């Protein structure tokens, strides 16, 4: 559904047009930075926005990159400083207004690309009273201190976003207040509102819409250094934001488990009861009891990141299949390992939970194992007989030559030697040791969040406090771990 718009320029001095090309999610986008002449800007961006409102400090420009019935909305936004004063982006908030299609359905969002760095863009889904205006929800964007400032006449350049239902169903964007199918090139739009220190600085809020929360006065402070955090707000295994944030879904050949059975089909990010923030990654194993009919799941870091310090994750282990007969030797893992199995500095730190045991050992069983090479037996390990069905905070601390494995704040195994010698990738996986019987069954493992801190031992209480702050700020992903 298209909407007529007029442009507002407020008598600014306008210079030549600059066309910027970039790549995002496998496609090319183009936008004209503010500073184009009036004629050039109109020809490049199409129709303009409605009449001006707000303080006149900012302009928001918008480009749509997805059809109305897509499974993910893809609004691209740009903020321009129209004032004669420098504006701190930490003081700026944006709202993209939309209508929930099916009542209480849950939505999530993520950042695809921005020159500011997606880690500096915060995101929250809010509710309002504007259902009749196509605006009973909004995606609110904020910025950390690290996003910097906008000098007069300057722009954030493109901020690429995704907005999606957690159940994976198609959207109905034609009724959304901020959506415009016709704006496929950047143009000012007053249907995306902007605020400076909580006061409207651009755009028109939907008539009759009252947001539950007031726009934030300021965003979070600078990002912590030496930290990785992710709460897995993705739309599916094919979400381009996964790769942008350094994750890779495993597919194809190799072990362990049933060989040649790794697939992205079992990797999802649904709403999950008991998950902090309501969403988690789901890793699923399905089998009919044959190799051909088996699918195993793994998400892994594309590049090594963790070395020494603390690695933690909130994980849901299950002792029973979601469907089908129990009895499989299923293995549910959280681990870090070197990318090169032949590395002279090979390092690996593993949690393996086997509710029904495996390799001839009975269950339930949790193995904590540190490896010095990929050779059989070059390791130190301890098994623990305990049932772990439910949510648990799993932690591995590697500091001062010692490695400690702890569950829910209780140390299970500490050892000297077999200490990491190089940076490792982070992995989550679930797979089958063998296929003891025929018949269809499904197993799920879930991961709520992952947190790593470089070079520092952090307690469970401190980890959970920091994670809670990320959720409160609307931070979905940061990665400031050292790269070498």
């Amino acid at each position: 559904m298209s909407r007529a718009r007029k442009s507002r320029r407020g008598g600014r001095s306008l210079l030549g047009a600059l066309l910027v090309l970039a790549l995002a999610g496998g496609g090319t986008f183009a936008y004209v930075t503010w500073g184009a002449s009036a004629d050039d800007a109109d020809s490049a961006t199409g129709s303009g926005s409605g009449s001006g409102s707000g303080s006149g400090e900012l302009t928001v420009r918008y480009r749509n990159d997805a059809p109305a019935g897509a499974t993910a909305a893809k609004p691209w936004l740009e903020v321009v400083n129209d004032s004669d004063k420098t504006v701190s982006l930490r003081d700026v908030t944006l709202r993209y207004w939309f209508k929930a299609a099916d009542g209480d359905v849950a939505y999530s969002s993520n950042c695809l690309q921005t020159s500011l760095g997606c880690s500096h863009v915060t995101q929250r889904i809010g509710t309002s009273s504007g259902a009749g205006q196509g605006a009973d929800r909004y995606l609110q964007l904020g910025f950390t201190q690290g996003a910097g400032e906008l000098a007069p006449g300057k722009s954030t350049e493109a901020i690429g976003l995704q907005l999606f239902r957690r159940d994976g169903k198609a959207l109905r964007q034609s009724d959304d207040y901020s959506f415009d199918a016709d704006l496929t090139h950047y143009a000012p739009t007053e249907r995306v509102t902007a605020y400076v220190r909580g006061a409207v600085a651009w755009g028109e809020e939907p008539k009759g819409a009252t947001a539950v929360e007031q726009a934030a006065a300021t965003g979070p402070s600078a990002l912590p250094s030496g930290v990785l955090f992710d709460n897995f707000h993705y739309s599916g295994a094919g979400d381009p934001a996964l790769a942008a944030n350094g994750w890779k879904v495993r597919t194809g050949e190799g072990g362990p488990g049933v060989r040649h059975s790794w697939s992205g089909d079992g990797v999802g990010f649904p709403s999950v009861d008991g998950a902090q923030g309501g969403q988690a990654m789901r890793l699923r194993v399905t089998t009919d009891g044959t190799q051909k009919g088996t699918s195993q799941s793994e998400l892994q870091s594309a590049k090594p990141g963790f070395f020494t310090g603390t690695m933690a994750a909130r994980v849901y282990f299950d002792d029973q299949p979601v469907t089908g007969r129990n009895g499989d030797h299923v293995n549910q893992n959280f681990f870090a390992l070197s990318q090169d199995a032949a590395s002279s500095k090979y390092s690996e730190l593993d949690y393996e939970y086997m509710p029904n045991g495996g390799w001839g050992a009975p269950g339930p069983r949790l193995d904590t194992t540190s490896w010095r090479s990929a050779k059989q037996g070059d390791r130190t390990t301890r098994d623990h007989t305990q049932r772990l069905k439910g949510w648990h905070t799993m932690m591995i601390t590697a500091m001062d030559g010692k490695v400690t494995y702890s569950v829910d704040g209780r140390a299970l195994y500490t050892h000297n030697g077999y200490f990491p010698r190089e940076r490792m990738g982070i992995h989550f996986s679930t797979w089958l040791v063998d296929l003891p019987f025929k018949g269809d069954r499904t197993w799920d493992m879930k991961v709520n969040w992952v947190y790593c801190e470089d070079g520092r031992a952090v307690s469970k209480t401190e980890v959970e406090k920091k994670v809670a702050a990320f959720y409160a700020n609307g931070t979905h992903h940061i990665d400031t771990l050292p790269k070498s």
Side-chain angles (χ1 to χ4, degrees), residues 297-361:
S297 298
E298 180 171 326
L299 185 78
Q300 58 186 250
S301 302
K303 296 180 179 179
F306 179 69
F307 185 19
T308 63
T310 302
M311 182 173 76
R314 187 167 188 252
V315 181
Y316 187 96
F317 298 113
D318 213 338
D319 290 352
Q320 296 180 330
V322 177
T323 62
R325 173 184 164 189
N326 200 351
D328 279 308
H329 300 127
V330 65
N331 202 314
Q332 302 169 35
N333 303 157
F334 167 41
F335 60 105
L337 85 165
S338 297
Q339 284 196 314
D340 182 3
S343 171
S344 61
K345 295 183 178 181
Y346 184 88
S347 305
E348 182 175 348
L349 307 172
D350 291 357
Y351 276 113
E352 298 184 40
Y353 180 58
M354 294 165 281
N356 296 321
W359 295 292

Side-chain angles (χ1 to χ4, degrees), residues 13 67 105 120 144 162 213 302 316-317 320 326 346 356 391 396:
S13 175
V105 65
H120 294 295
T144 72
Q162 291 190 126
E213 294 183 84
Y316 187 96
F317 298 113
Q320 296 180 330
N326 200 351
Y346 184 88
N356 296 321
W391 288 106
I396 302 175

Side-chain angles (χ1 to χ4, degrees), residues 1-268:
M1 178 173 65
S2 64
R3 300 182 176 96
R5 288 167 168 76
K6 309 173 207 168
S7 76
R8 177 176 76 100
R9 299 183 178 84
R12 300 176 61 241
S13 175
L14 302 173
L15 304 174
L18 173 64
L19 184 66
V20 180
L21 298 176
L23 295 175
T28 302
F29 66 85
Y31 67 93
V32 177
T33 60
W34 202 255
S37 71
D39 292 339
D40 287 342
D42 282 341
S43 65
T45 62
S47 59
S49 80
S51 59
S53 59
S55 66
E57 292 179 78
L58 303 176
T59 295
V60 177
R61 288 155 46 90
Y62 158 83
R63 180 180 76 87
N64 170 53
D65 195 32
T71 55
K74 295 185 177 181
W76 288 75
L77 305 177
E78 179 189 16
V79 182
V80 183
N81 181 4
D82 284 334
S83 74
D84 58 2
K85 297 179 180 179
T86 296
V87 175
S88 170
L89 283 172
R90 190 183 180 194
D91 296 338
V92 175
T93 304
L94 306 179
R95 282 180 175 169
Y96 179 92
W97 303 81
F98 65 99
K99 181 178 180 180
D102 299 309
D104 293 333
V105 65
Y107 289 79
S108 283
S109 66
N110 58 43
C111 174
L112 280 176
Q113 180 179 315
T114 171
S115 62
L116 303 172
C118 281
S119 294
H120 294 295
V121 178
T122 64
Q123 302 157 70
R124 298 172 62 88
I125 305 295
T127 60
S128 80
S129 59
Q133 291 288 314
D136 61 354
R137 306 281 179 94
Y138 55 86
L139 168 57
Q140 178 169 294
L141 303 185
F143 303 92
T144 72
Q145 182 177 329
E149 300 175 327
L150 283 184
K154 295 299 183 179
S155 153
T156 60
E157 300 183 353
I159 304 171
L161 306 165
Q162 291 190 126
L163 172 66
F164 48 88
R165 295 171 54 134
R166 291 181 188 168
D167 61 10
K169 293 182 179 179
L171 304 173
R172 294 201 296 268
Q173 296 186 79
S174 57
D175 292 331
D176 293 350
Y177 181 81
S178 295
F179 175 75
D180 193 325
D182 294 340
L183 290 187
T184 56
H185 300 281
Y186 279 93
T189 176
E190 294 201 348
R191 298 222 174 207
V192 178
T193 48
Y195 308 80
V196 174
R197 290 189 170 272
V200 177
W202 167 265
E204 297 178 358
E205 294 180 326
K207 293 180 180 178
T210 302
V212 172
E213 294 183 84
Q214 183 177 357
T218 59
S221 58
L223 298 177
S225 60
V227 167
L228 168 72
F229 168 75
D230 203 307
N231 61 9
F232 301 109
H233 279 214
Y234 302 103
S235 59
D239 190 329
L242 272 172
N245 288 341
W247 296 109
K248 180 171 65 174
V249 175
R250 184 178 179 184
T251 58
E253 302 180 353
V258 181
R259 299 183 68 83
H260 315 305
S261 298
W262 298 99
S263 170
D265 293 344
V267 180

